[in-house]
Amino acid sequence: MSNITIKNYEYHVWANKRVFQRLRELPEEILQQEIGNVFPTLHAGLVHIYRVDTVWFSAMKGSTYEQTKALLGGIEEKTSGKSLEQLETVYDELANMYRAFLSSDVDLLAVKEYPHPVHGILYANTEDLIQHIVNHGTYHRGNISSMLRQLGYAGASSDYVFFLYEWQAGNNE
């Protein structure tokens, strides 16, 4: 088990929580307010991050492309029209599933095949995919912060160094 992979994933969870914390401080209606940006709404941005995290989790667990694709309807059902609190709950549930998976006896360095009908076969290990999930989430949390600024609000601070300060404090207690 790689501690750096788990730490990177914990950063991703922490950063998502920072976004949810910031959004809870703002008027609830901004979640569905139409914005001409990367995503039509803040809600859509949050759903996108969740969708990608779910798809890759399914793939890491060994699901086929077809099985993973079939999950998309369930994701829509779990997220469509949901409140911020409900979205945060599904994020937390998925994070707990990731934690259980990453803490299991899975070989994080074993290279597996991930076939895709358009892009071909990706040969990657779990560490690589966690790095992708973290990078993807960081990119879109930046989009969400930009959208918040467009609406006249400050974004959530989710820089990795702030996570490290909290991680360090939590591991020194």
Side-chain angles (χ1 to χ4, degrees):
M1 170 172 23
S2 170
N3 289 335
I4 192 68
T5 299
I6 292 170
K7 186 176 178 181
N8 281 338
Y9 184 72
E10 289 301 330
Y11 161 68
H12 178 64
V13 172
W14 173 88
N16 287 337
K17 285 186 176 293
R18 295 290 298 252
V19 170
F20 278 103
Q21 178 184 0
R22 178 65 183 125
L23 291 172
R24 280 193 307 273
E25 298 168 354
L26 302 174
E28 190 173 328
E29 61 271 6
I30 71 161
L31 195 60
Q32 296 291 351
Q33 186 173 337
E34 291 283 331
I35 307 166
N37 205 304
V38 175
F39 299 106
T41 65
L42 293 164
H43 185 275
L46 293 171
V47 169
H48 176 77
I49 294 169
Y50 176 78
R51 179 180 294 119
V52 170
D53 286 6
T54 301
V55 164
W56 280 113
F57 182 65
S58 175
M60 281 185 253
K61 289 189 330 181
S63 299
T64 65
Y65 175 81
E66 291 75 22
Q67 290 168 325
T68 300
K69 188 175 175 185
L71 284 174
L72 296 178
I75 292 169
E76 180 67 23
E77 186 178 310
K78 280 185 171 184
T79 59
S80 181
K82 301 301 184 195
S83 69
L84 185 64
E85 183 179 319
Q86 291 168 317
L87 282 179
E88 190 169 14
T89 297
V90 296
Y91 264 74
D92 289 343
E93 290 167 356
L94 183 59
N96 288 332
M97 290 189 292
Y98 262 100
R99 286 178 178 125
F101 176 76
L102 293 173
S103 298
S104 71
D105 60 357
V106 65
D107 181 355
L108 300 177
L109 297 176
V111 174
K112 298 178 186 174
E113 293 181 6
Y114 299 94
H116 189 277
V118 174
H119 302 295
I121 298 174
L122 172 67
Y123 298 93
N125 62 39
T126 301
E127 283 191 343
D128 291 330
L129 297 180
I130 293 297
Q131 185 64 55
H132 165 68
I133 289 162
V134 172
N135 287 349
H136 177 264
T138 298
Y139 178 76
H140 289 305
R141 284 186 297 271
N143 295 145
I144 290 169
S145 285
S146 174
M147 293 167 75
L148 283 171
R149 282 192 296 277
Q150 189 175 341
L151 291 169
Y153 301 100
S157 176
S158 61
D159 285 347
Y160 184 69
V161 72
F162 298 124
F163 164 77
L164 290 176
Y165 280 118
E166 286 188 30
W167 179 270
Q168 178 180 307
N171 288 324
N172 288 331
E173 294 175 353

